[in-house]
Amino acid sequence: RRSCLYFHERGFRNIMRKNKKKSNLWKIILILFFVILLFVGTSIISSRNKLVDIEVKDVDYIEIIANKSQVMQTIKNNKEIKEIVYSLNKLRGKKSNRDTSADTINYINVYFNSGKKIEFVKSGQVIRVDNKWYALNRRNSKLIEKIINKYQTID
């Protein structure tokens, strides 16, 4: 014959086992919650102050007009279009007024298969994208300059 203490001890072990399973489940749920929160937070932060979101497959061609050399280049090569669109999609800026102290103005026009276009007009440390001016930091300004300098010579 078994004592009540034996049954009580056995029941206590079962309860502890169930509690341990519940605590493991809560740990997993908590970890999943923070992973999802981290993913959503990084996606929100990465899209903050983004100027454009261009799909490469929608681009027909790109025109680059470098004012220093008075040269207009039309880019239709898919590899070059992909590089330029990738760089333009990385641009970040804050809304601003036009900087009138700039001496050169450069243009990048992105034409889409649908007939629409987006015009980038860089003037000093600011850029106009579809008639809205944005202040650029040094990294973003150099990114645009790099694109323009690459295509300012006649091939």
mmCIF file of all heavy atoms in Angstrom, residues 25-55:
data_model
loop_
_atom_site.group_PDB
_atom_site.id
_atom_site.type_symbol
_atom_site.label_atom_id
_atom_site.label_comp_id
_atom_site.label_asym_id
_atom_site.label_seq_id
_atom_site.Cartn_x
_atom_site.Cartn_y
_atom_site.Cartn_z
ATOM 1 N N LEU A 25 7.511 27.074 -23.580
ATOM 2 C CA LEU A 25 6.647 27.622 -24.617
ATOM 3 C C LEU A 25 6.653 29.151 -24.545
ATOM 4 O O LEU A 25 6.753 29.829 -25.569
ATOM 5 C CB LEU A 25 5.227 27.073 -24.465
ATOM 6 C CG LEU A 25 4.208 27.557 -25.497
ATOM 7 C CD1 LEU A 25 4.615 27.094 -26.892
ATOM 8 C CD2 LEU A 25 2.828 27.048 -25.137
ATOM 9 N N TRP A 26 6.562 29.695 -23.331
ATOM 10 C CA TRP A 26 6.587 31.152 -23.184
ATOM 11 C C TRP A 26 7.932 31.738 -23.625
ATOM 12 O O TRP A 26 7.982 32.828 -24.201
ATOM 13 C CB TRP A 26 6.281 31.558 -21.744
ATOM 14 C CG TRP A 26 4.804 31.630 -21.521
ATOM 15 C CD1 TRP A 26 4.046 30.783 -20.793
ATOM 16 C CD2 TRP A 26 3.912 32.601 -22.069
ATOM 17 N NE1 TRP A 26 2.724 31.141 -20.852
ATOM 18 C CE2 TRP A 26 2.616 32.263 -21.626
ATOM 19 C CE3 TRP A 26 4.059 33.707 -22.892
ATOM 20 C CZ2 TRP A 26 1.493 33.002 -21.978
ATOM 21 C CZ3 TRP A 26 2.938 34.452 -23.233
ATOM 22 C CH2 TRP A 26 1.678 34.092 -22.781
ATOM 23 N N LYS A 27 9.020 31.031 -23.355
ATOM 24 C CA LYS A 27 10.339 31.502 -23.810
ATOM 25 C C LYS A 27 10.388 31.557 -25.334
ATOM 26 O O LYS A 27 10.887 32.524 -25.902
ATOM 27 C CB LYS A 27 11.447 30.584 -23.291
ATOM 28 C CG LYS A 27 11.755 30.759 -21.831
ATOM 29 C CD LYS A 27 12.848 29.810 -21.401
ATOM 30 C CE LYS A 27 13.070 29.863 -19.895
ATOM 31 N NZ LYS A 27 14.080 28.904 -19.451
ATOM 32 N N ILE A 28 9.861 30.534 -25.976
ATOM 33 C CA ILE A 28 9.846 30.496 -27.444
ATOM 34 C C ILE A 28 8.974 31.619 -27.995
ATOM 35 O O ILE A 28 9.365 32.319 -28.932
ATOM 36 C CB ILE A 28 9.369 29.111 -27.942
ATOM 37 C CG1 ILE A 28 10.424 28.045 -27.622
ATOM 38 C CG2 ILE A 28 9.087 29.143 -29.436
ATOM 39 C CD1 ILE A 28 9.945 26.629 -27.848
ATOM 40 N N ILE A 29 7.803 31.823 -27.404
ATOM 41 C CA ILE A 29 6.910 32.894 -27.845
ATOM 42 C C ILE A 29 7.571 34.260 -27.649
ATOM 43 O O ILE A 29 7.513 35.125 -28.524
ATOM 44 C CB ILE A 29 5.553 32.823 -27.113
ATOM 45 C CG1 ILE A 29 4.772 31.595 -27.585
ATOM 46 C CG2 ILE A 29 4.734 34.101 -27.301
ATOM 47 C CD1 ILE A 29 3.514 31.317 -26.789
ATOM 48 N N LEU A 30 8.233 34.462 -26.534
ATOM 49 C CA LEU A 30 8.909 35.722 -26.254
ATOM 50 C C LEU A 30 10.050 35.976 -27.244
ATOM 51 O O LEU A 30 10.202 37.088 -27.758
ATOM 52 C CB LEU A 30 9.444 35.709 -24.814
ATOM 53 C CG LEU A 30 9.917 37.017 -24.241
ATOM 54 C CD1 LEU A 30 8.766 38.021 -24.206
ATOM 55 C CD2 LEU A 30 10.464 36.819 -22.849
ATOM 56 N N ILE A 31 10.819 34.951 -27.550
ATOM 57 C CA ILE A 31 11.913 35.082 -28.520
ATOM 58 C C ILE A 31 11.352 35.412 -29.900
ATOM 59 O O ILE A 31 11.859 36.297 -30.591
ATOM 60 C CB ILE A 31 12.776 33.799 -28.545
ATOM 61 C CG1 ILE A 31 13.587 33.700 -27.266
ATOM 62 C CG2 ILE A 31 13.698 33.787 -29.765
ATOM 63 C CD1 ILE A 31 14.298 32.376 -27.073
ATOM 64 N N LEU A 32 10.292 34.722 -30.318
ATOM 65 C CA LEU A 32 9.662 35.014 -31.613
ATOM 66 C C LEU A 32 9.135 36.444 -31.667
ATOM 67 O O LEU A 32 9.276 37.125 -32.679
ATOM 68 C CB LEU A 32 8.531 34.028 -31.898
ATOM 69 C CG LEU A 32 8.956 32.634 -32.345
ATOM 70 C CD1 LEU A 32 7.742 31.727 -32.452
ATOM 71 C CD2 LEU A 32 9.679 32.704 -33.668
ATOM 72 N N PHE A 33 8.533 36.900 -30.581
ATOM 73 C CA PHE A 33 8.029 38.264 -30.528
ATOM 74 C C PHE A 33 9.155 39.279 -30.750
ATOM 75 O O PHE A 33 9.023 40.217 -31.530
ATOM 76 C CB PHE A 33 7.344 38.522 -29.179
ATOM 77 C CG PHE A 33 6.952 39.951 -28.971
ATOM 78 C CD1 PHE A 33 5.867 40.490 -29.646
ATOM 79 C CD2 PHE A 33 7.681 40.761 -28.108
ATOM 80 C CE1 PHE A 33 5.501 41.815 -29.462
ATOM 81 C CE2 PHE A 33 7.331 42.085 -27.922
ATOM 82 C CZ PHE A 33 6.237 42.615 -28.593
ATOM 83 N N PHE A 34 10.292 39.093 -30.079
ATOM 84 C CA PHE A 34 11.405 40.030 -30.230
ATOM 85 C C PHE A 34 12.057 39.935 -31.606
ATOM 86 O O PHE A 34 12.505 40.950 -32.151
ATOM 87 C CB PHE A 34 12.432 39.847 -29.114
ATOM 88 C CG PHE A 34 11.999 40.488 -27.830
ATOM 89 C CD1 PHE A 34 11.680 39.713 -26.730
ATOM 90 C CD2 PHE A 34 11.872 41.863 -27.730
ATOM 91 C CE1 PHE A 34 11.265 40.304 -25.553
ATOM 92 C CE2 PHE A 34 11.456 42.466 -26.560
ATOM 93 C CZ PHE A 34 11.155 41.679 -25.459
ATOM 94 N N VAL A 35 12.085 38.767 -32.204
ATOM 95 C CA VAL A 35 12.625 38.630 -33.558
ATOM 96 C C VAL A 35 11.739 39.377 -34.550
ATOM 97 O O VAL A 35 12.236 40.105 -35.416
ATOM 98 C CB VAL A 35 12.762 37.137 -33.941
ATOM 99 C CG1 VAL A 35 12.998 36.960 -35.424
ATOM 100 C CG2 VAL A 35 13.882 36.492 -33.146
ATOM 101 N N ILE A 36 10.430 39.224 -34.419
ATOM 102 C CA ILE A 36 9.503 39.935 -35.302
ATOM 103 C C ILE A 36 9.607 41.440 -35.069
ATOM 104 O O ILE A 36 9.636 42.220 -36.020
ATOM 105 C CB ILE A 36 8.061 39.428 -35.091
ATOM 106 C CG1 ILE A 36 7.928 37.996 -35.609
ATOM 107 C CG2 ILE A 36 7.045 40.337 -35.765
ATOM 108 C CD1 ILE A 36 6.637 37.311 -35.230
ATOM 109 N N LEU A 37 9.687 41.852 -33.817
ATOM 110 C CA LEU A 37 9.837 43.271 -33.488
ATOM 111 C C LEU A 37 11.124 43.845 -34.081
ATOM 112 O O LEU A 37 11.123 44.947 -34.642
ATOM 113 C CB LEU A 37 9.812 43.461 -31.978
ATOM 114 C CG LEU A 37 9.820 44.882 -31.455
ATOM 115 C CD1 LEU A 37 8.520 45.574 -31.846
ATOM 116 C CD2 LEU A 37 9.983 44.881 -29.949
ATOM 117 N N LEU A 38 12.205 43.102 -34.011
ATOM 118 C CA LEU A 38 13.479 43.529 -34.583
ATOM 119 C C LEU A 38 13.380 43.661 -36.095
ATOM 120 O O LEU A 38 13.847 44.643 -36.678
ATOM 121 C CB LEU A 38 14.576 42.525 -34.210
ATOM 122 C CG LEU A 38 15.981 42.846 -34.685
ATOM 123 C CD1 LEU A 38 16.509 44.072 -33.954
ATOM 124 C CD2 LEU A 38 16.891 41.666 -34.434
ATOM 125 N N PHE A 39 12.754 42.694 -36.755
ATOM 126 C CA PHE A 39 12.590 42.729 -38.209
ATOM 127 C C PHE A 39 11.759 43.933 -38.643
ATOM 128 O O PHE A 39 12.135 44.659 -39.568
ATOM 129 C CB PHE A 39 11.948 41.425 -38.686
ATOM 130 C CG PHE A 39 11.682 41.397 -40.155
ATOM 131 C CD1 PHE A 39 12.719 41.246 -41.055
ATOM 132 C CD2 PHE A 39 10.391 41.556 -40.644
ATOM 133 C CE1 PHE A 39 12.480 41.238 -42.417
ATOM 134 C CE2 PHE A 39 10.140 41.547 -41.997
ATOM 135 C CZ PHE A 39 11.194 41.389 -42.889
ATOM 136 N N VAL A 40 10.623 44.163 -37.986
ATOM 137 C CA VAL A 40 9.752 45.289 -38.337
ATOM 138 C C VAL A 40 10.463 46.610 -38.064
ATOM 139 O O VAL A 40 10.413 47.532 -38.876
ATOM 140 C CB VAL A 40 8.410 45.192 -37.565
ATOM 141 C CG1 VAL A 40 7.595 46.462 -37.705
ATOM 142 C CG2 VAL A 40 7.619 43.997 -38.038
ATOM 143 N N GLY A 41 11.156 46.696 -36.952
ATOM 144 C CA GLY A 41 11.868 47.924 -36.610
ATOM 145 C C GLY A 41 12.955 48.272 -37.612
ATOM 146 O O GLY A 41 13.072 49.428 -38.031
ATOM 147 N N THR A 42 13.731 47.291 -38.030
ATOM 148 C CA THR A 42 14.793 47.569 -39.004
ATOM 149 C C THR A 42 14.221 47.933 -40.366
ATOM 150 O O THR A 42 14.771 48.777 -41.056
ATOM 151 C CB THR A 42 15.754 46.376 -39.154
ATOM 152 O OG1 THR A 42 15.006 45.202 -39.478
ATOM 153 C CG2 THR A 42 16.553 46.146 -37.899
ATOM 154 N N SER A 43 13.109 47.330 -40.753
ATOM 155 C CA SER A 43 12.518 47.686 -42.047
ATOM 156 C C SER A 43 11.955 49.098 -42.022
ATOM 157 O O SER A 43 12.042 49.829 -43.007
ATOM 158 C CB SER A 43 11.456 46.679 -42.460
ATOM 159 O OG SER A 43 10.358 46.726 -41.587
ATOM 160 N N ILE A 44 11.399 49.514 -40.894
ATOM 161 C CA ILE A 44 10.885 50.881 -40.779
ATOM 162 C C ILE A 44 12.026 51.887 -40.794
ATOM 163 O O ILE A 44 11.969 52.901 -41.479
ATOM 164 C CB ILE A 44 10.024 51.030 -39.502
ATOM 165 C CG1 ILE A 44 8.716 50.282 -39.665
ATOM 166 C CG2 ILE A 44 9.761 52.497 -39.182
ATOM 167 C CD1 ILE A 44 7.894 50.188 -38.410
ATOM 168 N N ILE A 45 13.073 51.600 -40.054
ATOM 169 C CA ILE A 45 14.216 52.515 -39.996
ATOM 170 C C ILE A 45 14.910 52.606 -41.347
ATOM 171 O O ILE A 45 15.320 53.682 -41.776
ATOM 172 C CB ILE A 45 15.196 52.079 -38.888
ATOM 173 C CG1 ILE A 45 14.575 52.350 -37.528
ATOM 174 C CG2 ILE A 45 16.529 52.804 -39.010
ATOM 175 C CD1 ILE A 45 15.350 51.795 -36.368
ATOM 176 N N SER A 46 15.046 51.491 -42.047
ATOM 177 C CA SER A 46 15.757 51.522 -43.327
ATOM 178 C C SER A 46 14.985 52.279 -44.401
ATOM 179 O O SER A 46 15.575 52.805 -45.332
ATOM 180 C CB SER A 46 16.053 50.102 -43.813
ATOM 181 O OG SER A 46 14.862 49.452 -44.177
ATOM 182 N N SER A 47 13.673 52.364 -44.285
ATOM 183 C CA SER A 47 12.897 53.083 -45.295
ATOM 184 C C SER A 47 12.684 54.547 -44.936
ATOM 185 O O SER A 47 12.121 55.297 -45.718
ATOM 186 C CB SER A 47 11.544 52.403 -45.506
ATOM 187 O OG SER A 47 10.766 52.522 -44.345
ATOM 188 N N ARG A 48 13.170 54.960 -43.774
ATOM 189 C CA ARG A 48 13.004 56.343 -43.339
ATOM 190 C C ARG A 48 13.839 57.279 -44.203
ATOM 191 O O ARG A 48 14.988 56.984 -44.520
ATOM 192 C CB ARG A 48 13.419 56.465 -41.874
ATOM 193 C CG ARG A 48 12.969 57.733 -41.226
ATOM 194 C CD ARG A 48 13.322 57.749 -39.787
ATOM 195 N NE ARG A 48 14.767 57.942 -39.686
ATOM 196 C CZ ARG A 48 15.476 57.679 -38.627
ATOM 197 N NH1 ARG A 48 14.907 57.180 -37.576
ATOM 198 N NH2 ARG A 48 16.757 57.896 -38.607
ATOM 199 N N ASN A 49 13.275 58.379 -44.617
ATOM 200 C CA ASN A 49 13.927 59.408 -45.429
ATOM 201 C C ASN A 49 14.379 58.903 -46.796
ATOM 202 O O ASN A 49 15.255 59.505 -47.417
ATOM 203 C CB ASN A 49 15.110 60.028 -44.687
ATOM 204 C CG ASN A 49 14.682 60.775 -43.449
ATOM 205 O OD1 ASN A 49 13.569 61.272 -43.363
ATOM 206 N ND2 ASN A 49 15.563 60.839 -42.475
ATOM 207 N N LYS A 50 13.812 57.819 -47.256
ATOM 208 C CA LYS A 50 14.157 57.288 -48.570
ATOM 209 C C LYS A 50 13.517 58.160 -49.639
ATOM 210 O O LYS A 50 12.346 58.512 -49.538
ATOM 211 C CB LYS A 50 13.663 55.845 -48.673
ATOM 212 C CG LYS A 50 14.175 55.108 -49.857
ATOM 213 C CD LYS A 50 13.792 53.644 -49.772
ATOM 214 C CE LYS A 50 14.417 52.902 -50.916
ATOM 215 N NZ LYS A 50 14.153 51.487 -50.853
ATOM 216 N N LEU A 51 14.290 58.529 -50.654
ATOM 217 C CA LEU A 51 13.789 59.440 -51.674
ATOM 218 C C LEU A 51 12.924 58.733 -52.707
ATOM 219 O O LEU A 51 11.868 59.240 -53.089
ATOM 220 C CB LEU A 51 14.945 60.156 -52.379
ATOM 221 C CG LEU A 51 15.860 60.994 -51.484
ATOM 222 C CD1 LEU A 51 16.883 61.723 -52.322
ATOM 223 C CD2 LEU A 51 15.066 61.960 -50.648
ATOM 224 N N VAL A 52 13.372 57.593 -53.206
ATOM 225 C CA VAL A 52 12.628 56.877 -54.245
ATOM 226 C C VAL A 52 12.733 55.375 -54.021
ATOM 227 O O VAL A 52 13.604 54.899 -53.310
ATOM 228 C CB VAL A 52 13.158 57.194 -55.666
ATOM 229 C CG1 VAL A 52 12.864 58.615 -56.057
ATOM 230 C CG2 VAL A 52 14.622 56.894 -55.784
ATOM 231 N N ASP A 53 11.826 54.669 -54.657
ATOM 232 C CA ASP A 53 11.882 53.210 -54.691
ATOM 233 C C ASP A 53 11.575 52.807 -56.131
ATOM 234 O O ASP A 53 10.419 52.735 -56.532
ATOM 235 C CB ASP A 53 10.873 52.606 -53.720
ATOM 236 C CG ASP A 53 11.031 51.107 -53.593
ATOM 237 O OD1 ASP A 53 12.123 50.596 -53.903
ATOM 238 O OD2 ASP A 53 10.052 50.444 -53.193
ATOM 239 N N ILE A 54 12.628 52.580 -56.893
ATOM 240 C CA ILE A 54 12.498 52.305 -58.321
ATOM 241 C C ILE A 54 12.722 50.819 -58.563
ATOM 242 O O ILE A 54 13.694 50.253 -58.071
ATOM 243 C CB ILE A 54 13.529 53.126 -59.133
ATOM 244 C CG1 ILE A 54 13.341 54.618 -58.877
ATOM 245 C CG2 ILE A 54 13.424 52.813 -60.614
ATOM 246 C CD1 ILE A 54 14.446 55.476 -59.457
ATOM 247 N N GLU A 55 11.832 50.207 -59.328
ATOM 248 C CA GLU A 55 11.997 48.815 -59.746
ATOM 249 C C GLU A 55 12.802 48.787 -61.040
ATOM 250 O O GLU A 55 12.438 49.472 -62.004
ATOM 251 C CB GLU A 55 10.638 48.152 -59.967
ATOM 252 C CG GLU A 55 9.841 47.932 -58.714
ATOM 253 C CD GLU A 55 10.394 46.815 -57.858
ATOM 254 O OE1 GLU A 55 11.011 45.884 -58.413
ATOM 255 O OE2 GLU A 55 10.207 46.888 -56.639
#
